[in-house]
Amino acid sequence: MVLRIILTIVVGYFLGGANGAILVSRFLFRDDVRNHGSGNAGMTNFIRAYGGPATLLVIAIDLGKIFLACWIGGLLMNATGWKVEGQMLGGVAGVLGHMYPVLFRFQGGKGILSTLALAIFMDWRIAVTLFSLFLIIVLVTKYMSLGSSIAAFFYPVAFAICFWGHWAVIALSFVGWLDVWRHRANIRRLLNGTEPKFSFKH
């Protein structure tokens, strides 16, 4: 069982390290998204740097890699009777790989899209609820970081409601709070009134 857990973590982590924003900016634009704007390798900074259309490819990569990490984790842990926990573990490892990719000098994205992908795979109700909360906040305030941080804060709450009794899944869902931590600079700017509002213009 220990070997299966280790394989789940390792495979998930390296899949997560395939950062969509970095890969698309390099191969399509011969550039590095981290050289622009906030310096973050995430979807919001990618949109600001290159515009909307190519972002669809970034989304596809970042959703797909987490789905695959979850599926492989469930496959590896299924024989132990911990399929759901394996799916969650693989997905969380993928999120951490996205945030801290060893192949990209540990400079990854903030993890919002990756944690959304994990929620979609685990239970669509969690994804719909948190994405709706995020969307409402962004539409009202025009602050992506505010919507992301609030939705991420309620991430473990939503998982606790839907996976009550699966204590390992609930514990792992606190990866959502890491999203909040990685938005700490944005939160400071929000409090100071210097955080830029979201726009598709770049």
Side-chain angles (χ1 to χ4, degrees):
M1 182 172 176
V2 174
L3 180 59
R4 290 176 182 271
I5 292 173
I6 293 172
L7 282 173
T8 297
I9 293 171
V10 171
V11 171
Y13 175 81
F14 280 101
L15 280 171
N19 184 289
I22 295 175
L23 293 174
V24 174
S25 65
R26 283 190 177 181
F27 288 103
L28 284 188
F29 300 102
R30 299 293 188 270
D31 196 7
D32 190 327
V33 66
R34 294 170 295 180
N35 294 330
H36 300 272
S38 65
N40 181 252
M43 185 179 66
T44 302
N45 198 42
F46 185 92
I47 294 175
R48 288 172 176 158
Y50 306 106
T55 306
L56 295 176
L57 185 54
V58 174
I59 292 172
I61 292 172
D62 286 347
L63 290 179
K65 69 186 183 185
I66 301 300
F67 291 164
L68 186 57
C70 290
W71 180 77
I72 292 175
L75 196 65
L76 287 170
M77 296 296 291
N78 187 43
T80 68
W82 287 61
K83 180 179 180 179
V84 174
E85 287 76 9
Q87 291 171 338
M88 189 68 179
L89 180 61
V92 169
V95 171
L96 294 176
H98 175 82
M99 292 178 174
Y100 306 104
V102 65
L103 298 178
F104 297 123
R105 305 188 305 277
F106 299 101
Q107 297 176 17
K110 293 179 180 176
I112 293 298
L113 189 57
S114 295
T115 48
L116 175 62
L118 175 57
I120 292 171
F121 188 95
M122 296 302 296
D123 192 316
W124 64 269
R125 296 172 298 176
I126 296 174
V128 169
T129 300
L130 294 179
F131 183 73
S132 297
L133 176 62
F134 160 81
L135 197 59
I136 289 169
I137 293 170
V138 173
L139 289 175
V140 171
T141 68
K142 299 297 188 298
Y143 288 119
M144 287 278 284
S145 56
L146 181 61
S148 299
S149 298
I150 292 176
F153 180 81
F154 285 103
Y155 200 77
V157 176
F159 267 88
I161 293 171
C162 292
F163 286 94
W164 191 256
H166 291 273
W167 308 119
V169 172
I170 295 172
L172 288 168
S173 72
F174 278 89
V175 71
W177 284 11
L178 188 55
D179 287 346
V180 179
W181 168 252
R182 287 178 64 80
H183 277 85
R184 61 193 182 280
N186 302 84
I187 294 171
R188 283 196 294 268
R189 289 194 295 269
L190 283 166
L191 294 173
N192 294 332
T194 57
E195 175 74 352
K197 293 190 175 183
F198 176 76
S199 173
F200 279 103
K201 295 179 181 180
H202 65 286

